[in-house]
Amino acid sequence: EVTLLAGFRQGPAGVAVRGMSKGPAGKFDAGVSTGKVDFSVDGIVSKEAAKMVEVSGFGGYEWRGNPDGFNAPGGAFQWGTGVTFPSRNFLRLVGELNGSVPSGSAITTGTALTGIDLSRSPLTSNVDNITRATLGLTLQKKGWFFGAGVSWNVPSRAPSAAFTDEPEIGRAHAGTPVPD
């Protein structure tokens, strides 16, 4: 991360550029890694107002490695905004809204994968935009931080009836009345 403007030095806001890379840490042969390196670059802005609330935001792009045998979106626009209140208290409320907009709308493969239960994957799967809301508390005392929070996808959707082998549950989720 490179700080371009430091808000704590009486600047109008804190401004920084952050670059990251992720190496393939999982076992490729076990199917838990793409075997590729991912990169991202973000611009970050933050400002404290009246020594009471900290507001921040970021936007950037992530370049993702494609696993062999798949054609997936090669990247995504990443964005987020957050607020902390009170910004200088030992106990702070944190709220955040962030998301990802992929560069494509589907992942395709020429060969279906077979699960240990002999189920087969589809050859094409949709890729959705993700928007996540988070609410949390942070406790800071003598250089130690402790935080807890909860996140949820917005808007949230009921599970698809297509992925259940219990028709009554599927119809209930799909809005169809279930007989007693």
Side-chain angles (χ1 to χ4, degrees):
E1 185 172 305
V2 176
T3 302
L4 304 175
L5 276 174
F8 68 89
R9 293 190 183 128
Q10 306 310 316
V15 178
V17 175
R18 170 178 59 198
M20 292 186 284
S21 67
K22 176 193 69 74
K27 280 185 121 179
F28 177 77
D29 295 338
V32 294
S33 174
T34 63
K36 309 290 190 307
V37 177
D38 298 341
F39 301 95
S40 68
V41 176
D42 298 314
I44 305 165
V45 177
S46 68
K47 177 67 179 170
E48 184 181 36
K51 298 183 181 180
M52 287 298 294
V53 64
E54 177 88 19
V55 179
S56 62
F58 79 93
Y61 198 82
E62 176 183 35
W63 292 268
R64 301 173 179 165
N66 256 334
D68 295 337
F70 291 85
N71 183 11
F77 171 70
Q78 309 279 344
W79 60 272
T81 185
V83 64
T84 300
F85 174 81
S87 58
R88 296 184 181 218
N89 198 11
F90 74 97
L91 183 63
R92 296 185 291 275
L93 180 65
V94 179
E96 183 175 317
L97 188 65
N98 63 52
S100 174
V101 180
S103 62
S105 60
I107 297 175
T108 59
T109 184
T111 307
L113 302 174
T114 303
I116 59 173
D117 63 351
L118 301 181
S119 62
R120 306 217 3 122
S121 70
L123 297 178
T124 301
S125 296
N126 291 334
V127 176
D128 294 327
N129 295 349
I130 296 172
T131 303
R132 195 175 307 103
T134 303
L135 190 61
L137 286 172
T138 301
L139 174 69
Q140 178 185 356
K141 200 71 169 169
K142 295 184 180 180
W144 289 87
F145 291 85
F146 175 79
V150 62
S151 293
W152 58 97
N153 290 340
V154 289
S156 60
R157 292 182 286 192
S160 171
F163 299 107
T164 182
D165 55 358
E166 298 180 35
E168 293 79 21
I169 292 174
R171 284 197 303 270
H173 286 299
T176 305
V178 178
D180 289 332

